[in-house]
Amino acid sequence: MNGDTKRAQGRNFMRSSMILAAFAFGLVLASSLISYLLFHSLVETIISVVAFSVFIIAWTARRYMDNNYLMVMSVAYLFVGLIGIVHLLAYKGMGIFPGDSANLPTQLWIVSRYILAISLVIAPLVMFRKLSMNWVVVSYAVVASIAFIAIETDVFPAAFIDGSGLTPFKIGSEYVISALMVIAVLLLYRKREVFLNSIFNLLVAAIVFMIAGELMFTLYADPYGLLNLFGHLATLAAFLLVFAAIVRTGIVQPYDVIFRSLKSSEDLLRSERDFAEAIITNAQAIVLVVSLDGRILRVNPFIEDVTGWKMSELVSRDWAEALEPRGDAGAWKGLIPQLLASSNRTAFSGTLLTKNGETREVEWRLKLQEGANGRAGSILFIGHDVTEERRLGRELSARAEELARSNRDLDQFAYVASHDLQEPLRQVVAYLGLLDRKYGDKLDGDAKVYMNYAVDGSTRMRELITDLLAYSRVESGGGEFTNVDMNDALSDALSNLEASLSASNATVTAGRLPTVPADRTQMVQLLQNLIGNAIKYRGNEPPTVLIDCKEEMDHWTIAIKDNGIGIATEYHQKIFQMFQRLHVREDYEGTGIGLAIAKRIVERHGGNIWVESEEGRGSTFIFTLPRSVAREKDRSRP
């Protein structure tokens, strides 16, 4: 039986149900002309039958409902129907219960109305919550049982007094119930987009009829009166409207929903298939699907760029024969147990054979694909060609090692050269001094000038060698990193510069400096070089040096500011290079290595150094030091 036939049957059932409901409504109206008791019995019977039908239809069709509203209401209707039967049997004139009073059926009516009204309020609030309908049924059973016990033990307030009519409790309850139903309509309106318009309209109309009935039940004084009759008719109409909504939702709508969902699923699957196809086709990665016996089932166009094979040349061929180098043939099959043991996914590095016999290096990601029977059916290979990356990586590693070896050789050479030059230079200086003392008074004027040039040159050579040795020892002769208090390092640097500070009448002011992981000796040397420069390159005013520190997220920034002659912008980088001097020796002595040593010390500690300055306006040398060790602490001395 196809879907259209089933939907047609559902609609026929709904039409038949509506015709039957109209007939029942007409029968009830006719019975009111014969006997009110007969009318009441028919109304309550039909209401109970409708309530039970609502529950049965909703319970049967619950898996097709996309929210809990009608399910909660159907359970409420089940217990309202049960209470309605007891209300019918207890009605005045039936003579079944002792006393034949109108109070008991009125109390039962109020209980059923409270259950219905509260359910109408709760249902919209739990529409999309996960509910156990079995527990919902049990909860309603407990509430109904408590109500019956309260009525039987006279705990429940009286609702009707013979001779007086409705009690204030009953009238007030009807208004409370009506107010709850108004709230229910508002809550339902807020959720209107969840329902089809036809179902929403049926539910709202049903609640409106319920409210009308409740208001009529506040006015009657005679249980056989006209207002009581109209109230029952309004209630019957409300139940029939809910019945129509349930039939529409539980019988007609499921087929619409099923086939609409199937169509939507089809469209979604088609869209996802096209999307996946586009990704595979345009992916800059190799995509292969290989059967468990090694036959290539599918490839993507990118493999043509990597291997030179056409897609049509690879499909149905053996993977190992076509694409694996001879030494690796069949190696991938050993990964199948690993795939099964690792959530059907794994990765490995392998090689791929091109059409012209070259070998490409590939990083593979593998995923086991399930077949139609739920067992492993094929393997999805996704590969990234890393041949060039690895070649460049190997070249880079080789060059880095070569550079490191060259640097070590240069450091060794600089150390050995400067160290070994010290001794002959000392001899030259010593003998020049001896020559000057012994024969100086016998030399003429030109000879004395030549002697002074020789002594001065030897002295400068000794200074240059000393500085070169210091530069080479920054890396090779550095000490272990320890926690260095930069305030103590500054004190040592100022102590070493005491003569220069005093002679120049310099002032050094420093804020609180941090403790850093560093080579203590080199920190003293760094501060001494920078402060010494500030004293050396001073202007006409006495030197003033300000030292400040700023804490950053992962490092400290230390600034040394002076009021000296400043540095032109074009020389800001040049001054940190070896043997770079901006002034003649006659103006400012030195070898031009001091700032190069400072730069190398800072870089050894993982920091940076730069200058901010304008000519004639002083300079600020700024360097950073990591808060933690950012690189290898030191290198062993050659």
Side-chain angles (χ1 to χ4, degrees):
M1 185 181 293
N2 60 37
D4 291 337
T5 302
K6 290 184 177 181
R7 281 181 282 182
Q9 288 181 347
R11 292 190 176 93
N12 290 335
F13 179 83
M14 184 173 181
R15 281 194 293 270
S16 301
S17 300
M18 293 300 99
I19 293 171
L20 183 62
F23 174 76
F25 202 82
L27 180 64
V28 165
L29 282 175
S31 69
S32 67
L33 301 175
I34 301 172
S35 165
Y36 184 87
L37 194 59
L38 175 61
F39 160 79
H40 181 266
S41 299
L42 283 174
V43 169
E44 293 297 339
T45 300
I46 293 172
I47 287 176
S48 295
V49 170
V50 169
F52 297 150
S53 300
V54 165
F55 173 75
I56 292 170
I57 294 172
W59 190 267
T60 304
R62 64 187 182 278
R63 64 180 179 275
Y64 301 120
M65 296 183 181
D66 54 4
N67 64 75
N68 296 320
Y69 184 89
L70 291 176
M71 273 309 306
V72 171
M73 291 309 305
S74 70
V75 175
Y77 269 59
L78 170 66
F79 286 90
V80 167
L82 291 172
I83 296 172
I85 291 175
V86 181
H87 164 77
L88 167 62
L89 298 176
Y91 204 76
K92 186 175 182 179
M94 296 294 288
I96 296 177
F97 286 90
D100 199 27
S101 168
N103 182 48
L104 177 59
T106 307
Q107 288 177 314
L108 292 169
W109 175 266
I110 288 296
V111 169
S112 68
R113 297 302 96 182
Y114 267 122
I115 289 176
L116 188 56
I118 293 172
S119 298
L120 285 167
V121 172
I122 292 175
L125 302 178
V126 297
M127 285 179 68
F128 299 109
R129 297 195 179 185
K130 188 175 182 180
L131 297 177
S132 169
M133 296 314 299
N134 292 329
W135 281 107
V136 172
V137 173
V138 170
S139 301
Y140 273 92
V142 170
V143 171
S145 300
I146 292 173
F148 277 119
I149 293 171
I151 292 172
E152 182 64 25
T153 57
D154 294 330
V155 173
F156 197 87
F160 189 94
I161 298 175
D162 292 329
S164 299
L166 299 175
T167 65
F169 166 73
K170 201 275 186 184
I171 295 172
S173 292
E174 297 287 10
Y175 285 122
V176 171
I177 291 167
S178 298
L180 288 173
M181 290 183 177
V182 170
I183 294 172
V185 171
L186 296 176
L187 292 174
L188 189 62
Y189 180 78
R190 291 178 60 185
K191 304 285 186 179
R192 64 190 181 280
E193 70 279 356
V194 176
F195 302 96
L196 294 176
N197 288 335
S198 58
I199 294 175
F200 174 77
N201 293 335
L202 287 171
L203 293 174
V204 171
I207 298 174
V208 170
F209 272 102
M210 290 179 196
I211 295 172
E214 298 306 320
L215 293 177
M216 292 178 190
F217 288 134
T218 65
L219 302 175
Y220 76 89
D222 181 2
Y224 296 115
L226 193 60
L227 288 174
N228 200 315
L229 183 145
F230 287 144
H232 279 85
L233 289 176
T235 302
L236 176 60
F239 271 69
L240 291 174
L241 288 169
V242 171
F243 178 75
I246 290 291
V247 169
R248 172 69 178 159
T249 303
I251 297 178
V252 178
Q253 184 183 344
Y255 295 109
D256 293 334
V257 170
I258 288 171
F259 288 97
R260 189 165 60 247
S261 297
L262 285 174
K263 181 65 168 59
S264 176
S265 297
E266 260 182 36
D267 293 341
L268 181 60
L269 284 172
R270 188 179 297 107
S271 174
E272 290 182 349
R273 183 195 64 197
D274 293 343
F275 180 65
E277 190 72 29
I279 290 177
I280 291 172
T281 301
N282 296 289
Q284 297 298 297
I286 304 168
V287 179
L288 290 166
V289 179
V290 180
S291 66
L292 296 183
D293 62 0
R295 186 167 48 89
I296 299 174
L297 304 177
R298 180 175 182 178
V299 294
N300 74 327
F302 188 70
I303 200 167
E304 297 181 356
D305 299 334
V306 176
T307 68
W309 290 102
K310 297 293 184 183
M311 294 169 57
S312 58
E313 293 175 321
L314 291 174
V315 173
S316 298
R317 289 192 61 182
D318 183 83
W319 152 271
E321 176 187 324
L323 296 174
E324 279 196 316
R326 295 294 172 262
D328 297 336
W332 67 273
K333 291 184 178 179
L335 295 170
I336 295 179
Q338 184 179 343
L339 275 171
L340 294 171
S342 59
S343 302
N344 296 338
R345 295 174 185 271
T346 191
F348 77 102
S349 297
T351 53
L352 198 65
L353 192 66
T354 66
K355 190 173 183 178
N356 61 11
E358 294 180 359
T359 299
R360 309 294 295 181
E361 298 180 67
V362 181
E363 287 286 345
W364 291 106
R365 299 288 184 274
L366 275 62
K367 184 180 187 302
L368 207 58
Q369 303 287 99
E370 287 187 0
N373 57 3
R375 297 181 179 179
S378 60
I379 301 175
L380 173 65
F381 284 70
I382 299 177
H384 294 276
D385 184 2
V386 294
T387 307
E388 290 303 312
E389 294 175 23
R390 290 187 176 175
R391 183 185 64 79
L392 292 174
R394 288 190 290 268
E395 288 182 5
L396 184 62
S397 297
R399 290 181 182 180
E401 178 58 32
E402 183 181 348
L403 181 60
R405 184 171 57 253
S406 177
N407 283 337
R408 288 194 296 270
D409 291 345
L410 286 174
D411 285 344
Q412 177 75 8
F413 172 78
Y415 175 78
V416 171
S418 57
H419 182 273
D420 291 350
L421 284 173
Q422 293 273 26
E423 182 58 30
L425 188 59
R426 277 195 292 269
Q427 291 182 4
V428 170
V429 173
Y431 281 109
L432 284 173
L434 182 61
L435 185 62
D436 182 48
R437 288 194 300 274
K438 193 169 184 179
Y439 302 103
D441 55 349
K442 298 177 181 179
L443 298 175
D444 60 16
D446 289 340
K448 282 186 173 290
V449 171
Y450 300 153
M451 179 68 72
N452 290 336
Y453 283 156
V455 172
D456 182 63
S458 300
T459 303
R460 283 192 287 122
M461 176 63 76
R462 183 171 59 187
E463 292 175 353
L464 189 61
I465 292 173
T466 300
D467 286 347
L468 183 61
L469 183 62
Y471 181 83
S472 68
R473 288 174 59 86
V474 169
E475 294 284 352
S476 62
E480 291 287 337
F481 282 25
T482 59
N483 288 327
V484 177
D485 186 338
M486 292 296 287
N487 299 285
D488 294 341
L490 176 61
S491 296
D492 289 351
L494 294 178
S495 178
N496 295 339
L497 293 169
E498 185 175 357
S500 298
L501 291 169
S502 178
S504 62
N505 197 26
T507 302
V508 179
T509 305
R512 183 68 184 171
L513 300 180
T515 296
V516 296
D519 179 334
R520 191 180 191 285
T521 301
Q522 290 187 349
M523 289 298 101
V524 173
Q525 186 178 9
L526 172 64
L527 294 172
Q528 184 173 323
N529 282 8
L530 296 177
I531 297 171
N533 270 7
I535 297 171
K536 181 192 300 183
Y537 298 103
R538 61 183 180 271
N540 297 324
E541 299 294 327
T544 300
V545 182
L546 301 176
I547 304 175
D548 191 21
C549 177
K550 182 179 179 183
E551 182 178 7
E552 307 287 353
M553 181 177 295
D554 58 355
H555 65 272
W556 299 95
T557 299
I558 298 175
I560 299 179
K561 182 177 181 180
D562 64 51
N563 62 341
I565 61 176
I567 303 168
T569 305
E570 58 266 29
Y571 299 119
H572 284 186
Q573 296 296 326
K574 186 177 181 181
I575 59 173
F576 293 104
Q577 298 174 10
M578 288 280 287
F579 309 119
Q580 294 299 319
R581 293 178 52 84
L582 305 184
H583 309 278
V584 297
R585 180 174 176 81
E586 287 73 14
D587 293 337
Y588 299 98
E589 62 180 10
T591 60
I593 300 180
L595 287 178
I597 293 174
K599 183 174 186 291
R600 201 171 194 196
I601 289 173
V602 171
E603 289 178 347
R604 183 195 173 213
H605 288 74
N608 294 303
I609 186 169
W610 65 96
V611 65
E612 295 176 358
S613 178
E614 292 182 24
E615 194 169 8
R617 303 187 64 177
S619 303
T620 302
F621 283 86
I622 304 168
F623 62 91
T624 63
L625 294 173
R627 296 171 61 120
S628 59
V629 178
R631 52 173 293 181
E632 189 181 58
K633 288 185 178 181
D634 67 317
R635 300 176 183 173
S636 59
R637 177 176 173 175

